[in-house]
Amino acid sequence: KNEVEQSPQNLTAQEGEFITINCSYSVGISALHWLQQHPGGGIVSLFMLSSGKKKHGRLIATINIQEKHSSLHITASHPRDSAVYICAVPESGGGADGLTFGKGTHLIIQP
Amino acid sequence: DTAVSQTPKYLVTQMGNDKSIKCEQNLGHDTMYWYKQDSKKFLKIMFSYNNKELIINETVPNRFSPKSPDKAHLNLHINSLELGDSAVYFCASSQGDYPPGELFFGEGSRLTVL
């Protein structure tokens, strides 16, 4: 069964700072998901990636399949980026399994 | 148009009651999921349905039963509610189950059992 570790658990930064959130997993996977949970509780999918790098606006996600590691970066951070960021991978690496989730990184961006 | 919608958003009920949470997606996805988020905000999968077939059934109590009348709907029925069932339940959908495609989540249903 896949184990997911995220770091840091909590992160407070100033507006404009470059943010990095890390995710490591134990079993090789086909794809990894980054999710964002807003303070109001809603969850949105940010990225699904299986190799390399993806970019969406100020968000960048990278994955290193060999090292079983992914990072989520936020450039020019803004208070509206304050949220919980969650990494998720297939439970046992593939097949008709659900996702297992990291415990999330609680990010606060101060003005 | 809401892609994944679930109702009710809030549900307060007494121990021992039976309740249902409904979920509908208009994305044409073939896989739908129910997740439970506990008080520590940890998400855990409960069930998924692909083309009306249950393909995952995590070790959840059999008081929980998913019901899918068609591929756009996956309802969660809970019998004999217990205090520990209090949580936020999220419905989600994706295209494909292997690997799960991009997930689209409902807004969550906060269940409080008194």
Side-chain angles (χ1 to χ4, degrees), chain A residues 1 30-31 33 35 37 41-45 48 86 90-91 94-99 101-103, chain B residues 33 35 37 40-45 55-56 58 90 97-107:
Chain A
K1 188 170 175 172
S30 49
H33 300 251
L35 310 173
Q37 185 166 27
I43 300 175
V44 296
S45 174
M48 186 182 79
I86 304 167
E91 263 196 323
D97 287 329
L99 296 176
F101 297 84
K103 293 188 176 176
Chain B
Y33 310 84
Y35 294 95
Q37 188 173 43
K40 295 182 180 176
K41 304 292 187 185
F42 189 54
L43 274 166
K44 190 171 173 60
I45 189 162
I55 58 171
I56 306 171
E58 286 293 304
F90 286 94
D97 60 291
Y98 173 51
E102 184 182 1
L103 291 166
F104 290 78
F105 284 83
E107 293 182 347

Side-chain angles (χ1 to χ4, degrees), chain B residues 36-51:
Chain B
K36 180 180 179 180
Q37 188 173 43
D38 60 24
S39 57
K40 295 182 180 176
K41 304 292 187 185
F42 189 54
L43 274 166
K44 190 171 173 60
I45 189 162
M46 299 179 73
F47 303 104
S48 78
Y49 256 74
N50 176 276
N51 290 326

